[in-house]
Amino acid sequence: MTHAYWREAGPEFRNVNIMGVAHGTDKGLLIAHKAAIDEHLKHCGIMVSYTNVFWGGRSEIKPSEISPFAYRDWCSGVGLDPEQMRESTGQERDPVSK
C-alpha cells in the first residue's frame, strides 16, 4: 500500500471513509494484496463495511507524479522555457536534460 486518504462520507459510513491506495501493473497481485489487507483488518477486529478495487486509467495526476520529460514537452508546447521555470523556483537543473 502506498498511501491512504481520509474523506468525509455519508451516515452509512459513520461520516468517514478511509481509502487505501496501492499502485501496480499486475491486477491479480493487487487483488491478492487487497484480500490480505482485508483479512488482516478482520483479524484485528477492525470492521470494514465496504471494500472495492478500482482498476483502469488514472483518475488524477498530481504534480509530483509528472515525468520530467512530459513537463519539459508541455513547457515547450505552451511557449515556456522549462529551465527558466526551474531557475525561478530555485530548483536544480533537470537531470534528464544534462
Side-chain angles (χ1 to χ4, degrees):
M1 210 165 93
T2 59
H3 58 286
Y5 296 102
W6 176 288
R7 297 285 190 257
E8 293 181 10
E12 68 276 18
F13 296 108
R14 295 189 182 181
N15 301 318
V16 70
N17 185 12
I18 299 174
M19 298 180 288
V21 180
H23 296 278
T25 57
D26 184 329
K27 186 176 183 179
L29 183 62
L30 287 171
I31 297 289
H33 188 71
K34 178 197 168 294
I37 292 169
D38 290 348
E39 183 59 33
H40 177 72
L41 293 171
K42 180 180 172 183
H43 178 76
C44 292
I46 299 172
M47 187 186 95
V48 176
S49 58
Y50 174 81
T51 182
N52 200 351
V53 172
F54 299 98
W55 186 261
R58 298 173 71 157
S59 61
E60 181 180 359
I61 298 175
K62 294 179 175 39
S64 62
E65 299 172 334
I66 294 173
S67 158
F69 300 106
Y71 176 72
R72 190 174 55 230
D73 292 345
W74 176 83
C75 282
S76 297
V78 297
L80 297 172
D81 176 2
E83 293 308 317
Q84 189 176 36
M85 295 295 291
R86 192 172 303 280
E87 290 168 10
S88 71
T89 63
Q91 295 180 7
E92 292 182 25
R93 182 179 165 92
D94 183 352
V96 298
S97 304
K98 291 182 178 180

